[in-house]
Amino acid sequence: MKSKNIIYIFLAVLTFIVYFSSCEKMAFEKEIDNTPIENYDYLWNEVNEKYAFLEYKNVNWDSIYEVYLPHINSKMTNDSLFRVLGNMLNELRDGHVNLFSPFNLSRYDITLLGPVNINTRIIKDNYLGTDYYTTGSFVHNFINNGDIGYIRYSSFANSLITDYELDFILERYENTQGLILDIRQNGGGYVDNVQKLLSLFCNDERLLYETQIKNGPNANNFTLLESAYSNKTERDIYDKKIIVLTDRGSYSASSFFSVCTYAFDNVILVGDTTGGGLGLPNGGQLPNGWTYRFSITQTIAVNGQNYENGVPPNHTVILSDDAAETGIDNVIEFAVNLIKS
Amino acid sequence: MKNKIIFLLILNFGISLTSIGQTDTVPKKTRSNLIDISAGLATGSLRDMSTSPLFYTGLLPVIDISYSNFFNKNLIQFNLSSYNGIYIKLTDDDSYLSTANSINTEIAYFRHYEDYDETGFKHYPGVSLNNYTSIRVNSAFNNAAFAFDNISSLNINYLITKDFTLKAKQKKLLWLIKYYRKEKQYLASFKIGIPIYSLIYRPGFTNPGNLTLNNIILLPDYKTTGKVFSGMNTNLSLSRVLENGNMIKFTYHWEFFTSGKYALNRLDMSKHALLFSLVFKIN
């Protein structure tokens, strides 16, 4: 066989491959059209099949489809489509549900469900003082003549809590009568920080909550409940009273932390019901590229309750305007009295 | 069940969905060991329905190393290749980017089928086991940013090779400059592989799995599913055989994979790669 023929064969095979590879899309399902109705259907269906709380929240998702469908048309602007999709998602009344576009972010503001139960200026002026310590994400100081440690933890998202930070706090406040851990308006963050913060007062393995995840398209398709335990460690712990202050702005990881405190006799929740958000949000993308998230798990407290809509405190105390005018945070004062009692 | 476990163990021994740039060059004489070191660039598309209905376009530098042992009528190949790059999706008003790192491993066996040697083409039917492991991170997907895939496949392959010589002759460059072209030996090869059964380890119904469990396992709620005929892969290569038996090789590789229309969280991907290789004869 002449070398020319070989070249021809080689080129023929190459052509064959290129032609064949152009057919690969035939094996793949066609990409969904980027039209308003396709985006609407896609998002509705994703929520319909994977959102964890349709039954719990008694949401009739089928009827919501019909409610918003008339607002969809092929000529609508991206801004209009975003508003329709965002409003549809907000029917879920869930702070873990968002739609993200390059020009806007839809959200359900859970903090508006209750008063802001904290005045940070009063805390700075009359509790933390000017010589407070900042250890990692913790801002803290002695209050009540040094009898009590006050720790403000405003976010689970700033950084991962370290053993060093906890050891420092533990050592500084080891001779106090109790600790106040203030997570009011703490919107959550890393779930890993929940477990870490628990190790401030827990070094044994105990049941914290149970959890399950969606595993099928029907509203009641979930895995069996699985137990989440605290980590057994050799760490020293703070074993005196700990008062955790919460409000509606205590969301997601803060609610997880609050639920976990139910497993400890020496930890008491004071303030307002948390914002909830005990479902783990997923992440996904629409045919037009916008991304979304919504909750796909459920969490059951040790008492068997589902507190997705908010973890109730052991003692409900709302910040009093009258007290605030005199520079007093009556929620903290209540906590102080609880420790002293 | 027992058979399934045995099959799983065999497949997970070290194996990949698609081997690329493998040394499908076969030396002219029997008994030979070759090491093939390749580098190149791949492009392709990927859609992971667990997070997005969109096809992302990949740009993936490739490094590939393979070892071939040819003895009597048998050819055994071990192959390791690595893709590290990005997948990107441009939409009307934004762009989304995912990093991608994957490793393919393969062990393949071919048998020289001599009946058609008189045609000048050598035929090598064979089988292979391979494993594809991929990690992708797309931060736009929040808690579902991390994606892990592991696909093990049993393939049937067919390799055809042809060696040929360009005779020495006097030539002219651009009809002007005379030069003498030495005799050159070449080896052309074409391989096609079809994964006849694949085990696909992917996210379950939701992505991510349940990360709220404290006793966290690495990949919660992942599922293994099986798929018959999950795609195809081909290699077309041309090697210049040097006097010492070493080779310089160019390869075009194409492959596609689909977990199937009815798969949970369907995965579709394809790759087109161009590779340049140095092939060393080691005995």
Side-chain angles (χ1 to χ4, degrees):
Chain A
M1 186 177 281
K2 286 183 179 176
S3 58
K4 249 182 189 174
N5 293 342
I6 298 293
I7 301 294
Y8 291 149
I9 291 171
F10 190 80
L11 290 173
V13 174
L14 185 62
T15 307
F16 161 77
I17 294 174
V18 169
Y19 171 75
F20 215 26
S21 63
S22 71
C23 299
E24 71 197 17
K25 291 257 162 68
M26 287 169 61
F28 300 161
E29 205 168 53
K30 190 173 163 283
E31 200 168 69
I32 298 170
D33 290 337
N34 177 18
T35 61
I37 186 64
E38 291 288 0
N39 283 288
Y40 179 77
D41 282 349
Y42 188 89
L43 181 60
W44 181 89
N45 192 58
E46 282 289 297
V47 171
N48 188 49
E49 292 189 348
K50 294 177 180 170
Y51 183 60
F53 299 109
L54 288 179
E55 242 181 24
Y56 173 79
K57 294 190 173 184
N58 200 22
V59 174
N60 187 337
W61 197 237
D62 289 330
S63 72
I64 285 173
Y65 180 88
E66 300 301 334
V67 167
Y68 288 93
L69 184 62
H71 300 284
I72 299 291
N73 65 74
S74 60
K75 293 194 172 80
M76 67 196 306
T77 63
N78 276 348
D79 190 26
S80 300
L81 176 65
F82 185 89
R83 272 187 276 126
V84 174
L85 298 182
N87 289 340
M88 179 176 77
L89 289 178
N90 284 343
E91 297 281 359
L92 299 171
R93 307 183 305 276
D94 189 333
H96 272 158
V97 176
N98 298 105
L99 181 64
F100 306 89
S101 77
F103 55 85
N104 201 2
L105 157 68
S106 83
R107 69 267 167 203
Y108 182 75
D109 196 344
I110 216 85
T111 61
L112 299 178
L113 296 178
V116 176
N117 215 27
I118 187 171
N119 182 326
T120 53
R121 182 59 192 256
I122 290 175
I123 290 170
K124 269 191 177 175
D125 286 348
N126 301 329
Y127 295 92
L128 281 172
T130 54
D131 59 344
Y132 60 83
Y133 276 47
T134 301
T135 309
S137 296
F138 301 104
V139 177
H140 54 97
N141 212 344
F142 293 98
I143 61 171
N144 202 251
N145 300 318
D147 290 340
I148 294 170
Y150 171 82
I151 303 166
R152 170 79 181 136
Y153 187 54
S154 59
S155 175
F156 280 85
N158 286 344
S159 60
L160 290 174
I161 300 170
T162 65
D163 284 337
Y164 179 84
E165 291 163 12
L166 294 179
D167 288 343
F168 182 85
I169 287 169
L170 205 58
E171 195 177 323
R172 189 170 191 228
Y173 299 106
E174 64 180 343
N175 295 321
T176 55
Q177 294 176 31
L179 285 181
I180 296 172
L181 180 59
D182 191 345
I183 58 170
R184 289 175 290 179
Q185 295 296 309
N186 180 329
Y190 306 122
V191 176
D192 290 353
N193 276 341
V194 172
Q195 185 74 241
K196 202 70 185 176
L197 189 53
L198 285 171
S199 69
L200 185 67
F201 49 86
C202 170
N203 60 6
D204 59 353
E205 185 181 86
R206 68 173 77 187
L207 178 65
L208 299 173
Y209 54 83
E210 291 182 303
T211 177
Q212 57 188 167
I213 189 167
K214 282 283 287 176
N215 67 350
N218 296 326
N220 57 357
N221 286 154
F222 284 93
T223 58
L224 295 174
L225 283 168
E226 291 183 85
S227 300
Y229 295 94
S230 56
N231 293 332
K232 186 175 169 65
T233 67
E234 300 297 320
R235 285 178 48 81
D236 290 333
I237 58 168
Y238 192 88
D239 55 5
K240 289 170 247 180
K241 269 187 187 172
I242 297 177
I243 312 297
V244 178
L245 309 185
T246 60
D247 69 359
R248 274 292 185 181
S250 308
Y251 192 70
S252 190
S254 291
S255 288
F256 266 102
F257 182 77
S258 302
V259 154
C260 293
T261 64
Y262 283 2
F264 301 87
D265 292 334
N266 64 321
V267 185
I268 301 164
L269 291 180
V270 169
D272 198 1
T273 301
T274 72
L278 292 165
L280 177 82
N282 66 352
Q285 190 165 36
L286 297 181
N288 65 0
W290 297 348
T291 55
Y292 59 83
R293 67 171 195 161
F294 54 77
S295 301
I296 53 172
T297 67
Q298 289 192 351
T299 304
I300 309 296
V302 287
N303 60 10
Q305 297 297 308
N306 184 337
Y307 292 121
E308 171 58 22
N309 289 331
V311 183
N314 301 105
H315 301 276
T316 301
V317 184
I318 303 300
L319 189 67
S320 154
D321 288 342
D322 293 343
E325 277 180 16
T326 57
I328 290 172
D329 184 321
N330 59 301
V331 185
I332 294 178
E333 295 301 326
F334 185 92
V336 168
N337 291 333
L338 215 52
I339 290 169
K340 294 271 189 181
S341 64
Chain B
M1 184 63 189
K2 192 181 170 187
N3 289 342
K4 191 177 176 185
I5 292 169
I6 292 169
F7 187 68
L8 257 168
L9 287 173
I10 293 170
L11 284 188
N12 280 304
F13 180 62
I15 18 215
S16 108
L17 157 73
T18 45
S19 70
I20 99 150
Q22 59 181 323
T23 313
D24 40 16
T25 50
V26 180
K28 289 165 69 176
K29 305 297 178 189
T30 57
R31 190 138 206 108
S32 174
N33 292 316
L34 299 170
I35 285 184
D36 177 336
I37 300 170
S38 311
L41 192 64
T43 182
S45 55
L46 180 140
R47 176 171 63 176
D48 180 353
M49 293 288 278
S50 70
T51 45
S52 174
L54 300 175
F55 278 102
Y56 279 62
T57 302
L59 191 64
L60 306 157
V62 190
I63 293 175
D64 180 281
I65 298 172
S66 59
Y67 168 78
S68 302
N69 183 6
F70 188 70
F71 60 100
N72 300 326
K73 296 178 183 176
N74 307 299
L75 171 63
I76 292 177
Q77 293 181 327
F78 300 94
N79 175 261
L80 175 69
S81 59
S82 164
Y83 296 79
N84 300 284
I86 56 165
Y87 281 97
I88 192 162
K89 179 67 185 180
L90 301 174
T91 61
D92 292 343
D93 46 13
D94 212 349
S95 62
Y96 301 88
L97 189 140
S98 167
T99 60
N101 302 90
S102 66
I103 289 179
N104 303 325
T105 54
E106 178 179 47
I107 177 169
Y109 171 77
F110 295 93
R111 176 81 174 171
H112 185 186
Y113 186 64
E114 294 176 309
D115 284 11
Y116 298 111
D117 276 8
E118 67 272 14
T119 63
F121 290 92
K122 291 179 179 171
H123 295 250
Y124 299 83
V127 294
S128 66
L129 292 170
N130 46 42
N131 178 268
Y132 165 86
T133 301
S134 160
I135 292 172
R136 284 172 280 118
V137 178
N138 187 336
S139 57
F141 297 157
N142 299 295
N143 283 334
F146 178 82
F148 176 88
D149 308 308
N150 186 275
I151 303 164
S152 300
S153 299
L154 172 65
N155 305 281
I156 53 170
N157 301 318
Y158 204 89
L159 169 66
I160 300 173
T161 68
K162 167 72 182 169
D163 45 68
F164 60 97
T165 304
L166 294 184
K167 302 284 186 203
K169 67 191 283 192
Q170 199 78 34
K171 295 197 76 172
K172 278 185 182 174
L173 181 65
L174 299 173
W175 300 279
L176 294 171
I177 307 163
K178 280 186 181 176
Y179 71 98
Y180 180 74
R181 188 189 71 190
K182 289 182 183 174
E183 182 177 285
K184 290 179 179 176
Q185 284 191 329
Y186 289 90
L187 181 67
S189 74
F190 174 65
K191 193 210 86 172
I192 186 165
I194 296 176
I196 54 174
Y197 191 77
S198 300
L199 288 175
I200 303 162
Y201 184 65
R202 299 251 307 132
F205 187 71
T206 59
N207 186 15
N210 196 343
L211 302 174
T212 64
L213 282 163
N214 291 333
N215 47 342
I216 198 76
I217 51 175
L218 187 60
L219 300 165
D221 304 299
Y222 270 57
K223 302 276 183 244
T224 301
T225 55
K227 174 84 171 79
V228 178
F229 297 119
S230 57
M232 183 186 288
N233 59 83
T234 63
N235 264 18
L236 180 65
S237 68
L238 181 64
S239 307
R240 165 85 198 281
V241 183
L242 305 177
E243 286 177 5
N244 58 7
N246 294 339
M247 289 182 263
I248 296 168
K249 188 173 75 169
F250 292 93
T251 303
Y252 170 68
H253 169 84
W254 165 66
E255 68 179 65
F256 83 88
F257 168 85
T258 178
S259 62
K261 186 175 182 180
Y262 302 106
L264 187 64
N265 292 328
R266 178 175 178 164
L267 178 70
D268 296 319
M269 59 181 171
S270 68
K271 286 197 191 93
H272 302 259
L274 282 172
L275 293 165
F276 171 75
S277 313
L278 297 176
V279 184
F280 301 99
K281 186 177 178 183
I282 53 178
N283 64 25

